[in-house]
Amino acid sequence: MYLSPEEEKMSNGEYGETIRKSMDILIALGDIYGASKFVDITSAQVSGVSYKTIGQAGLEYLEDLALDEKGFATIPATLNPAGVDLDDWKELGFSEFFSDKQNQIVDAYGKLGISKTCTCTPYLIGNVPRFGDHISWSESSAVAYSNSVIGARTNREGGPGALAAAIVGKTPLYGFHLDENRKATMVVNVECELNGIDFGALGYSVGQIVSDGVPYFKCQEQNITNGNLKALGAALASSGAVALYQVEGVTPEYKTVDSDNAEETITISSDDIKETKEKLSTTTEKPDLVCLGCPHASLEEIKDLANIVKGKKIANELWICTSINVKAAASRMGYTDIIEKAGGHIVCDTCMVVAPIEDLGYKNIGVNSAKAANYVPNMGGIDVIYDEVENLIIFE
């Protein structure tokens, strides 16, 4: 890779060990993927936060980096979900040991200049890149959203790479930062109308086929919401390794991706959607916990849930996961009070995928997220029911 004189100083350790280590990581990535040089970035989203996934070794690595007062984020950078609600962990049943370790991890990131707003939807709390911006994001669903819905440019980074990029303000120029790699590789003709969890089922089905390619969707309807696109991208990224997709007439780059020259065309029918939804459920039992917000819920999604439960009493447990920012807005709007009076909880900072939810005694978890339905059985060994919210919540 070509390094500018300033980048050489960073790489040689003239600005401290944390910056040097960060440059080592980024140069190695650039060499692996054939990058010619670095490109400046405008924001970062850093994963590798939950104590469940990075453990004691990860905590010690972060605390070691944070000792260097010269090493901190030089651009706006946000943090992925943690393993617990950082404030209300005790009320939700998480252990003191795990929660203490989790808070230490988040504090170490804070010392490195990463915002301690733990969420997988940074675009809902102010980390919103502009169209065409180069960024370094490492949350798979956020990567799909930023590339596809916003039209920013990022590869599907790992946590250490995104953290390194946040510290130096640069990332290697390769992959989806380049025009030639943003072309459609597969056309997906969707023959049926889509509603609710159909978007997650569509993403899950196509992700298994397209792998790390770029699918181009031709859908029956054009009134597709950002929430639908969020669910679609999260599912594509979890069952495959999709970092960019296009929806004809909807996403900002769909006219520029030359779908006529895609390598393959497939068709998705209503039967395919139905079969995928059935496969995503691992049990037919009723859920003892309904866990929503994967990716983290928007204010509009919380409003919709508040309207469903208003004036009722929930018989099973209900969590809706979101950021502390969105919860604050929901509380001001009165939605938090409505949900809590019904027996539910708005849970901040974490989600059912990265939390040690298997230690809390739940056997069956109801989800409306294909990403959660894919990950929860594998990461927590708990059965899931994939369905619409109205079918998951049991009222007294």
Side-chain angles (χ1 to χ4, degrees), residues 62-261:
L62 292 169
E63 289 182 331
D64 182 57
L65 287 181
L67 292 174
D68 182 358
E69 294 181 358
K70 296 180 180 179
F72 52 86
T74 56
I75 54 168
T78 44
L79 202 56
N80 230 36
V84 296
D85 185 314
L86 298 176
D87 297 321
D88 294 335
W89 55 267
K90 191 172 185 178
E91 179 185 356
L92 295 168
F94 294 107
S95 75
E96 183 174 358
F97 172 81
F98 186 97
S99 301
D100 181 59
K101 292 293 185 181
Q102 185 60 80
N103 273 281
Q104 289 178 47
I105 289 171
V106 173
D107 287 345
Y109 274 118
K111 292 175 183 176
L112 290 165
I114 313 298
S115 173
K116 293 159 66 173
T117 49
C118 301
T119 183
C120 51
T121 53
Y123 45 86
L124 296 179
I125 65 164
N127 189 352
V128 188
R130 296 182 299 269
F131 179 86
D133 274 4
H134 294 281
I135 60 178
S136 182
W137 284 20
S138 60
E139 155 60 36
S140 64
S141 68
V143 166
Y145 192 95
S146 62
N147 270 326
S148 311
V149 183
I150 297 172
R153 301 189 166 208
T154 180
N155 291 313
R156 184 167 158 150
E157 303 291 357
L163 175 59
I167 290 169
V168 304
K170 301 171 183 286
T171 197
L173 185 64
Y174 72 93
F176 289 113
H177 293 283
L178 303 172
D179 289 342
E180 58 264 30
N181 295 322
R182 298 178 70 86
K183 305 296 184 183
T185 62
M186 175 184 288
V187 172
V188 182
N189 291 313
V190 184
E191 290 186 331
C192 56
E193 292 187 2
L194 302 170
N195 294 288
I197 65 169
D198 293 345
F199 285 91
L202 172 64
Y204 185 86
S205 177
V206 173
Q208 290 183 308
I209 301 168
V210 75
S211 185
D212 60 352
V214 180
Y216 181 100
F217 293 92
K218 294 184 177 182
C219 297
Q220 297 291 313
E221 68 284 327
Q222 297 298 298
N223 59 336
I224 299 173
T225 68
N226 283 351
N228 298 147
L229 296 172
K230 175 162 71 88
L232 174 65
L236 284 164
S238 64
S239 68
V242 173
L244 169 65
Y245 65 89
Q246 302 295 344
V247 180
E248 189 169 84
V250 178
T251 52
E253 290 181 288
Y254 83 92
K255 290 183 178 179
T256 68
V257 298
D258 193 20
S259 62
D260 290 338
N261 289 322

Side-chain angles (χ1 to χ4, degrees), residues 120-121 123 139 141 230-231 234 292-297 301 321 369 371:
C120 51
T121 53
Y123 45 86
E139 155 60 36
S141 68
K230 175 162 71 88
L292 312 174
C294 180
H296 273 175
E301 289 169 317
C321 301
S369 160
K371 175 181 179 179

Side-chain angles (χ1 to χ4, degrees), residues 195-205 228 231-232 234-235 272-287 289-292 294 364-374 377 383-389 391-392:
N195 294 288
I197 65 169
D198 293 345
F199 285 91
L202 172 64
Y204 185 86
S205 177
N228 298 147
L232 174 65
D272 296 321
I273 297 294
K274 180 181 178 182
E275 181 182 356
T276 299
K277 288 194 290 188
E278 291 172 351
K279 284 182 178 178
L280 283 168
S281 290
T282 62
T283 181
T284 58
E285 298 291 325
K286 295 291 185 180
L289 170 68
V290 177
C291 209
L292 312 174
C294 180
N364 305 308
I365 297 181
V367 298
N368 64 344
S369 160
K371 175 181 179 179
N374 183 33
D383 282 321
V384 295
I385 303 95
Y386 180 64
D387 207 339
E388 301 289 355
V389 174
N391 299 327
L392 295 171

Side-chain angles (χ1 to χ4, degrees), residues 265-339:
T265 298
I266 63 171
T267 299
I268 299 293
S269 68
S270 58
D271 288 341
D272 296 321
I273 297 294
K274 180 181 178 182
E275 181 182 356
T276 299
K277 288 194 290 188
E278 291 172 351
K279 284 182 178 178
L280 283 168
S281 290
T282 62
T283 181
T284 58
E285 298 291 325
K286 295 291 185 180
D288 45 7
L289 170 68
V290 177
C291 209
L292 312 174
C294 180
H296 273 175
S298 66
L299 184 62
E300 189 67 21
E301 289 169 317
I302 294 174
K303 174 186 174 182
D304 291 343
L305 179 66
N307 287 332
I308 292 171
V309 304
K310 188 175 183 179
K312 301 176 182 177
K313 279 293 182 181
I314 303 167
N316 47 3
E317 293 287 324
L318 171 65
W319 293 5
I320 182 163
C321 301
T322 192
S323 66
I324 193 169
N325 312 59
V326 171
K327 182 178 180 179
S331 296
R332 179 165 289 187
M333 291 299 294
Y335 305 147
T336 302
D337 187 53
I338 292 170
I339 291 168

